[in-house]
Amino acid sequence: MYQKSLVELAADLQKGAYSSEELTRACLQRIHTHDERLNSFVTVTETQALTAAQAADAAIKAGTAGPLTGIPFAHKDIFCTNGVKTSCGSRMLDNFIAPYDATVTQKLLAAGAVMVGKTNMDEFAMGSSNETSFYGPVRNPWDETTVPGGSSGGSAAAVAARLVPVSTGTDTGGSIRQPAALCGVTGLKPTYGRVSRYGMIAFASSLDQGGPFARSAEDAAVLLGAMAGFDARDSTSVDRPVDDYVAQLNQPLQGLKIGLPKEYFGAGLDTAVGDAIAVAIEEFRKLGATVTEITLPNTHLSVPAYYVVAPAECSSNLSRFDGVRFGHRAANAQDLQDLYTRSRGEGFGSEVKRRILVGTYALSAGYYDAYYLKAQQVRHLIRDDFLQAFAQVDVIMGPTAPSVAFKLGEKADDPVSMYLSDIYTISVNLAGLPAISIPAGFSNGLPIGLQVIGNYFAEARLLNIGHRYQQVSDWHTRSPQGFE
Amino acid sequence: MELDASDVEKIAHLARLGINTEDIPAYARNLTDILAFVEQLNSVDTTGVEPLAHPLDATQRLRPDEVTETNNRENFQKVAPETESGLYLVPQVIE
C-alpha cells in the first residue's frame, strides 16, 4: 500500500480495504526498516500515531471522516507539537518538549491526519542541503551519497522513499521547493500569509511560509486545503477564504500564458536540467498553453538581498534563545552574560552562528541603512519585476534548482556557493508569491524539478497546472530503488 | 569590507554569542565573503524606492483589547531550565 497516493489511501480507508491502524503500522514499519539509511526522522511518534489511527478508524466507522482522516503524515520538526520534542534540528532545542501545538499541527490533527513523526531539517531551517542539522545529514533516497536539499530535507526524502504519503515543510528561501526538486516530489510554497506561522519556529519572519510535500499535485491540494487559512494568532496571516484546491485540479490549460524569464536560463544552469525543463514546457504547449519570454531584470540581486534580510531577521528572532525560559542552558554560569553567551555558543551550530553574526552586523549602528534598508529597497524592485511580468503572463516557469542533487560535503565549507543553489527560489520569497516544484525528469538518475510561480493566492492554479502535467507525465510516479 | 578577528569578537559580543577562539579566523573569512557578495546590492540605484516591509503591503492588524489567553504559566515553565515560585532563575545580577 506504500505506493498508493493519499487520495487512493483515503478511498481504501473509506471502503474498509484496511484500517488506519494497519496503514499506520505499515508506515511505521517502513520507517524502522529504511530510515536508518536516510536519517529523515528526528523523532518517530509511534504511540501517539497508533492512538490517532484508532480514533480515525472510529471516525471512519461513524461516517464523520474527511479526506485526511487516518492518513499518516510526517511533520517538519519546526512545527510545535504538544508533548512531543520539537528540535528545529538544533542542539538548542534538543530538550524542548513543546507545550502547545502550532496552528498547522492543530489543523492537521483536527482533520484526522495521523502524525507518525517529526522530520530532520537544517538547523533552524538555515541550509540548502540538510547538512547543518544537529542530528546529522539526511540522505537523498535516489543516491545516498547526495544531499536531499534543504532545509526541509527530511520531509522531502521521507515522501520520496515512500515512507509516508505526505509531509509538511517550510520555505524561507526555497526550503520546500528545492528539496522537492532534488528528491523528485511535489512541493508547494504558498503565498506569504496563506498558512499560519503560529507555533512554527521563526527564522526570517517576513519570508517564512509553511506548505505541503506530496507525490502528486493532487495529494498536495488535499494537504494544503487542510493547512491553509486565516489565524488571528499570526499577525501576518491573511484573512481571506481558502480556495477549494481539489475542485479546481482539472481546469483546462487551454490559453494559459506561460512566461519564461530569460534570467532563469542563463549561466549557472546545468545543461541537463535546462533541457528537461524545455521538454516539460513543450508538454504545456501541447496542453494548449502559449509561451513567451519575459524578463525579471533584478533576479541577480535576489540572493544578495536575501542574505541581508534573512540573517538580519534571524539574528533578531533567535535572540529569544537565551538559556533562561526554554532550550539549552550552559552549566555553571558565572553571571548572566556568561549564561547567555555560553548557552547560545553551545546550543547553536556553525551555520546558525554565521547568520546571527551577519545579521547582527547588518543591523548594528551605522550599517542599518547600508545593508538592511538597501536590501528591503531592492526587494521592492524584485517584487515590481514580478508584478510587471504578471501583467503579461499567468504563470512563470523555470528550473527549481540550477542542478540536480549535489554530493554530501561538496558545498559545506563554502557558504556563498551553497546560497547560490537557491538562486531561482529566493526571489519568490522576497516577493511573497506562491510557487510549486513538480518532478520533470532525471539526469544521471537524479530528479529534476520544474518550478511554476503564480501571482498572489494563485495556489489553486499552480496545483491545477501540476495536476494536468502529471496526467501526461510519469516522473512523479517513479520511486527510488532499494526502498521496496 | 574586510572583517578581522576583533570585528568578529565585537559582533559576537553584541549577539551574546559564544564562539571558539580557534573558529574566529574562519568566521572572519566567511563574513568577509558574504559581505563582499551582498555588495552587489550597491550596483543598483534605489534612490526614492520604498523599502518593502511586507510583500502584500499589509499593516499590523488590531484586535479588541480583550483577554483571549488563559494563564498557562505552570505548563510553559515545565520546559524552563530553572524556576522557583513561578519565577525564572538566572545567576545573581545584583549584589
Side-chain angles (χ1 to χ4, degrees), chain A residues 439-483:
Chain A
F442 287 84
S443 167
N444 293 326
L446 291 169
I448 292 168
L450 168 77
Q451 179 174 222
V452 190
I453 306 167
N455 210 334
Y456 296 108
F457 301 103
E459 287 83 1
R461 190 60 165 158
L462 298 181
L463 289 160
N464 157 228
I465 290 167
H467 181 65
R468 280 292 192 166
Y469 178 73
Q470 289 172 344
Q471 305 281 283
V472 297
S473 64
D474 68 355
W475 308 116
H476 66 292
T477 64
R478 303 193 191 183
S479 57
Q481 287 182 355
F483 296 93

Side-chain angles (χ1 to χ4, degrees), chain A residues 96-97 99 192 206 230-238 300-301 303-305 307-308 323-327 329 333 335-337 339-341 344-345 348 350 353-354 356-358 360-361 364 367 371 373-381 383 415-416 419-420 430-432 456-457, chain B residues 1 3 7-8 10-20 23 26-27 30-31 33-61 63 69 72 75-83 88-93:
Chain A
F96 179 61
I97 309 294
Y192 182 72
S206 76
F230 174 66
D231 180 10
R233 293 179 297 184
D234 170 1
S235 64
T236 56
S237 175
V238 175
H300 66 291
L301 296 175
V303 183
Y307 278 96
V308 173
V324 175
R325 290 152 305 153
F326 58 96
R329 169 178 240 179
D335 52 33
L336 191 57
Q337 166 107 344
L339 175 76
Y340 291 154
T341 306
R344 292 164 61 75
F348 294 134
S350 58
K353 285 182 183 170
R354 252 196 300 266
I356 291 174
L357 292 171
V358 171
T360 303
Y361 180 74
S364 62
Y367 295 108
Y371 289 105
L373 202 70
K374 180 80 184 181
Q376 292 284 64
Q377 288 176 310
V378 169
R379 191 174 175 185
H380 201 140
L381 299 177
R383 184 188 63 169
V416 172
Y419 297 170
L420 286 170
L430 291 169
Y456 296 108
F457 301 103
Chain B
M1 177 77 69
L3 294 188
D7 293 319
V8 173
K10 212 181 307 166
I11 302 164
H13 173 70
L14 285 175
R16 301 296 185 269
L17 185 64
I19 49 178
N20 296 327
D23 295 338
Y27 281 121
N30 289 159
L31 261 59
D33 286 353
I34 294 167
L35 294 174
F37 178 68
V38 305
E39 276 300 310
Q40 289 178 67
L41 293 174
N42 294 323
S43 67
V44 59
D45 182 8
T46 50
T47 317
V49 178
E50 277 293 305
L52 185 74
H54 188 292
L56 300 167
D57 297 320
T59 49
Q60 196 69 28
R61 200 172 48 241
R63 62 167 178 83
E69 297 286 334
N72 264 315
N75 187 30
F76 293 162
Q77 287 197 332
K78 275 197 308 219
V79 292
E82 217 183 336
T83 58
Y88 292 100
L89 295 190
V90 294
Q92 189 171 354
V93 177

Side-chain angles (χ1 to χ4, degrees), chain A residues 143-439:
Chain A
D143 175 350
E144 290 162 41
T145 66
T146 66
V147 303
S151 66
S152 314
S155 287
V159 172
R162 302 331 194 210
L163 305 185
V164 284
V166 290
S167 62
T168 61
T170 59
D171 190 316
T172 304
S175 286
I176 290 175
R177 290 160 289 156
Q178 186 253 18
L182 270 45
C183 288
V185 299
T186 300
L188 186 142
K189 175 234 174 268
T191 305
Y192 182 72
R194 180 70 293 181
V195 168
S196 170
R197 295 185 300 109
Y198 178 79
M200 190 178 107
I201 296 170
F203 160 15
S205 301
S206 76
L207 304 164
D208 297 342
Q209 183 60 203
F213 282 100
R215 287 168 211 172
S216 65
E218 183 181 33
D219 286 358
V222 175
L223 190 59
L224 180 62
M227 293 172 76
F230 174 66
D231 180 10
R233 293 179 297 184
D234 170 1
S235 64
T236 56
S237 175
V238 175
D239 193 357
R240 174 184 165 120
V242 177
D243 292 332
D244 186 339
Y245 302 123
V246 174
Q248 296 184 49
L249 284 172
N250 285 306
Q251 294 289 317
L253 300 189
Q254 194 64 43
L256 176 75
K257 285 187 275 185
I258 299 171
L260 303 182
K262 60 175 194 229
E263 293 81 3
Y264 285 28
F265 295 90
L269 176 63
D270 179 271
T271 318
V273 175
D275 291 349
I277 299 303
V279 172
I281 304 287
E282 246 343 278
E283 279 303 324
F284 284 103
R285 276 192 223 266
K286 287 184 205 155
L287 291 168
T290 59
V291 180
T292 46
E293 188 182 270
I294 57 161
T295 177
L296 298 169
N298 292 296
T299 297
H300 66 291
L301 296 175
S302 58
V303 183
Y306 178 86
Y307 278 96
V308 173
V309 174
E313 294 182 9
C314 118
S315 73
S316 168
N317 271 325
L318 270 57
S319 64
R320 78 191 63 195
F321 299 104
D322 56 6
V324 175
R325 290 152 305 153
F326 58 96
H328 177 74
R329 169 178 240 179
N332 308 317
Q334 302 304 306
D335 52 33
L336 191 57
Q337 166 107 344
D338 185 46
L339 175 76
Y340 291 154
T341 306
R342 281 204 293 121
S343 297
R344 292 164 61 75
E346 294 166 5
F348 294 134
S350 58
E351 179 61 20
V352 172
K353 285 182 183 170
R354 252 196 300 266
R355 298 208 195 183
I356 291 174
L357 292 171
V358 171
T360 303
Y361 180 74
L363 292 177
S364 62
Y367 295 108
Y368 177 83
D369 285 3
Y371 289 105
Y372 192 72
L373 202 70
K374 180 80 184 181
Q376 292 284 64
Q377 288 176 310
V378 169
R379 191 174 175 185
H380 201 140
L381 299 177
I382 290 166
R383 184 188 63 169
D384 289 351
D385 284 356
F386 279 111
L387 294 182
Q388 274 162 27
F390 284 125
Q392 305 166 50
V393 298
D394 302 318
V395 292
I396 295 169
M397 288 190 189
T400 305
S403 71
V404 293
F406 44 92
K407 294 279 180 197
L408 282 155
E410 187 181 321
K411 301 184 182 186
D413 295 325
D414 184 356
V416 172
S417 140
M418 182 74 86
Y419 297 170
L420 286 170
S421 59
D422 291 330
I423 181 134
Y424 306 127
T425 49
I426 269 178
S427 53
V428 171
N429 297 78
L430 291 169
L433 293 163
I436 192 169
S437 179
I438 49 179

